[in-house]
Amino acid sequence: MKRIFAAVCCVLLLTGCAAPAGEDLPPEAAGLAEDTVPAEDAVEYAAALTVPLADLEPYEPWVSMEPDTAGVETMGELLCDETLPGGTRVVCYWRPDHMADPNRLTDQDAQYEKHWAIHQGDKLLRFAAEYSGYDSGYEVTPFSNVLGRNGFCVTAPRGAAYIAHDYYVFDETGVPRLLMDCSNDVLEKDVDDDGVTELVWNYHGGQFVNCAFVRDGAVCQAELMSLLAEHLLFPALPFGDLENWGEKGLPVSVLAGGWAVVNEPGPKRYIEGYLRLTEDALELDVPAEQIPLEAWAGKRYTLIEGAPACRDIVPEGEPEGPWTVLGPAVPAPREWAEQDLAGRNQAETWAGVEPSYLAMEMVSAREGWMVVSVNHGVGAGADNYVYRTRDGGVTWREAAKLAEAGRYPCAAAFFDGLHAVVGIERFEDTPVFVTRDGGESWERADLSLLDDPDSWQAYNIFRSGDGISIELCRGAGDETEYRQVVSRDWGETWTHE
């Protein structure tokens, strides 16, 4: 359970929920007329992830005290007094002196003792204890068919932003026993269509979404965001309040790009879907065109006989699996038709051409980048081409040629559908190229802040805090020097780190 809690704490690093509609759209999608955007009802959803719930252990609720009986003389000021259908009277009251045992509790706000009890003539059947300084906000409400049982719910403030909702049922002897302890906004709803009302509630502003349900006659509880964090390479966030849980499920937003982009600067991309509880599983539904999600998260990409292929990234030391070919061979660069370099003017695809440099990466379920290079036949020079995919890596389209880059790339980084940086081996200066329009156009980064900039070469490009960082070096062996420059405006200007 601690491992699950830690996983979800990572989710809390995210700020907000879903990205604004239209943020970071691919160029061809950004200009769509409003009437061309598919209506919500027209979007086809399918299961991207299914988490079985059969292995969950029955839930053991927390118990504040063992029920006992006491005389009414122990009852001080009443904080709540409700009579349930059938005549059962439930009360919450201070102790006559309000104070708990000072040797037992050291928190000053928790020095005040209250009890929940069934009032039975001159006796009190006490079934729960409260320790806090609150003197209002206590309620009792009856319920039926919640988790297949009937009983009553007590509401009590237990923190500045924590309202407890404890569901009690009577055992065979008439003693109230805690069925489920919930918090904050609680949704009583048959979310899995099994004819029984489930309980759904949130914690920490909705970042934790808990659900209580019945499986094989036993009451179980699951923290839904934790389950997703265990089975997904990227986190999900609930979108809006629990009342938005409708026929399709609870709206959620999945951060595209994985955990690696949680703390990175720049626009984020989210896939909007629904979380559903079925009779035996938790299911994440997303637009069908985004599936399979696993086709781009946690994968390594390459060309095999010119065709795009991927395989899982595995921990160091473990054997790698086979490559999976995603689609047809990548088209040859357009300019090859006019060139007769080793017969390339006859090539229609990259099949049969061995790239001298290749960098491929997906930045969302649909969008990816490829920089591929070959020797152009003159000395150590190279032609460098940029390709883009917008269908999950199946097909690729040539976006541009890095015309001013005369040698091979030495570092590359792709941040989202619009932004990328490519560093080229040092030749006449420090050539680092930046794009902010999805690779259609590139400009050379102005690194004149470096002393003798022609002598430096980029060897690593990455996101750092709220900026892009480039690590550079010059010299060799023990004489090697290192510098780092940072841009916080997607490569328009650079400063020393």
Side-chain angles (χ1 to χ4, degrees):
M1 191 67 185
K2 290 181 179 179
R3 178 171 60 86
I4 294 176
F5 183 79
V8 178
C9 284
C10 295
V11 180
L12 294 176
L13 295 173
L14 289 170
T15 57
C17 290
E23 182 181 55
D24 192 18
L25 291 174
E28 59 262 44
L32 287 176
E34 185 174 344
D35 58 2
T36 66
V37 178
E40 170 67 17
D41 292 341
V43 177
E44 179 183 353
Y45 287 86
L49 175 72
T50 300
V51 181
L53 299 175
D55 294 335
L56 287 178
E57 295 291 331
Y59 182 64
E60 293 292 337
W62 171 78
V63 178
S64 64
M65 63 173 286
E66 273 302 312
D68 64 12
T69 57
V72 293
E73 69 276 3
T74 65
M75 184 170 64
E77 178 187 355
L78 284 174
L79 300 175
C80 179
D81 186 353
E82 297 288 344
T83 300
L84 301 175
T88 300
R89 181 184 174 192
V90 182
V91 296
C92 179
Y93 61 91
W94 296 102
R95 277 178 38 147
D97 58 3
H98 288 194
M99 297 297 291
D101 181 354
N103 296 319
R104 177 184 169 192
L105 298 171
T106 58
D107 183 354
Q108 187 64 37
D109 290 335
Q111 292 288 323
Y112 303 96
E113 182 177 347
K114 317 175 192 74
H115 280 94
W116 289 93
I118 302 297
H119 197 297
Q120 300 174 330
D122 61 350
K123 295 292 185 182
L124 297 170
L125 174 57
R126 303 190 303 183
F127 58 88
E130 294 273 349
Y131 298 91
S132 74
Y134 298 102
D135 59 4
S136 62
Y138 296 90
E139 297 179 4
V140 175
T141 53
F143 65 80
S144 62
N145 196 31
V146 171
L147 304 178
R149 305 289 297 276
N150 301 330
F152 62 93
C153 174
V154 303
T155 298
R158 292 182 186 152
Y162 185 98
I163 304 296
H165 302 274
D166 294 340
Y167 286 74
Y168 283 87
V169 295
F170 292 97
D171 67 13
E172 62 278 2
T173 66
V175 175
R177 300 289 182 178
L178 185 61
L179 176 68
M180 182 59 57
D181 48 302
C182 311
S183 64
N184 298 338
D185 300 321
V186 180
L187 177 67
E188 297 180 4
K189 185 180 180 69
D190 182 5
V191 296
D192 60 0
D193 296 323
D194 64 351
V196 175
T197 300
E198 283 77 38
L199 295 173
V200 186
W201 68 98
N202 59 42
Y203 188 52
H204 275 301
Q207 305 290 0
F208 296 86
V209 177
N210 299 272
C211 186
F213 46 89
V214 178
R215 288 291 176 272
D216 298 326
V219 175
C220 300
Q221 179 190 335
E223 202 291 289
L224 305 186
M225 299 299 108
S226 296
L227 287 177
L228 289 184
E230 282 195 319
H231 293 83
L232 222 54
L233 292 173
F234 36 82
L237 292 174
F239 182 59
D241 58 42
L242 297 178
E243 294 296 332
N244 288 331
W245 193 310
E247 292 184 2
K248 294 180 180 178
L250 177 67
V252 294
S253 294
V254 179
L255 177 63
W259 292 103
V261 305
V262 168
N263 292 320
E264 292 178 352
K268 303 284 194 294
R269 293 207 53 171
Y270 291 82
I271 302 170
E272 295 184 11
Y274 293 92
L275 201 58
R276 293 197 311 118
L277 192 68
T278 68
E279 290 190 2
D280 54 8
L282 177 67
E283 187 175 283
L284 174 65
D285 294 345
V286 301
E289 66 174 10
Q290 302 284 4
I291 298 176
L293 296 177
E294 64 271 15
W296 59 276
K299 301 284 184 178
R300 192 184 312 281
Y301 291 81
T302 191
L303 293 180
I304 298 179
E305 281 300 308
C310 69
R311 68 181 177 190
D312 292 331
I313 297 174
V314 299
E316 186 175 354
E318 292 188 11
E320 292 187 300
W323 289 100
T324 299
V325 176
L326 299 176
V330 175
R334 292 181 292 269
E335 70 173 10
W336 283 10
E338 308 298 327
Q339 297 178 343
D340 190 13
L341 298 176
R344 280 188 211 144
N345 58 329
Q346 304 297 318
E348 296 183 356
T349 70
W350 280 85
V353 180
E354 186 66 29
S356 303
Y357 174 89
L358 176 67
M360 296 176 67
E361 184 177 339
M362 300 297 294
V363 293
S364 78
R366 307 291 291 171
E367 294 192 79
W369 296 78
M370 173 168 59
V371 174
V372 59
S373 310
V374 291
N375 185 288
H376 63 37
V378 181
D383 290 328
N384 302 284
Y385 304 96
V386 179
Y387 284 79
R388 294 299 314 277
T389 181
R390 301 191 191 281
D391 60 7
V394 177
T395 61
W396 295 77
R397 175 185 63 85
E398 182 185 358
K401 177 184 179 182
L402 296 178
E404 296 182 60
R407 297 173 74 89
Y408 295 105
C410 53
F414 314 106
F415 304 114
D416 52 44
L418 298 176
H419 304 91
V421 179
V422 176
I424 304 298
E425 291 178 345
R426 184 177 63 82
F427 184 51
E428 295 179 349
D429 53 12
T430 309
V432 173
F433 294 91
V434 178
T435 182
R436 288 181 287 276
D437 61 6
E440 301 295 325
S441 64
W442 295 77
E443 64 184 43
R444 189 177 297 218
D446 179 6
L447 301 180
S448 57
L449 75 164
L450 297 170
D451 62 298
D452 190 13
D454 294 353
S455 62
W456 296 90
Q457 175 176 299
Y459 68 90
N460 192 20
I461 304 170
F462 58 97
R463 283 189 176 179
S464 175
D466 61 349
I468 301 170
S469 290
I470 302 179
E471 294 178 341
L472 306 107
C473 63
R474 68 179 177 187
D478 294 339
E479 303 299 320
T480 303
E481 297 179 74
Y482 299 93
R483 291 288 185 275
Q484 183 170 330
V485 294
V486 174
S487 173
R488 291 181 171 82
D489 53 15
W490 294 108
E492 292 191 46
T493 59
W494 297 85
T495 59
H496 279 296
E497 178 70 357

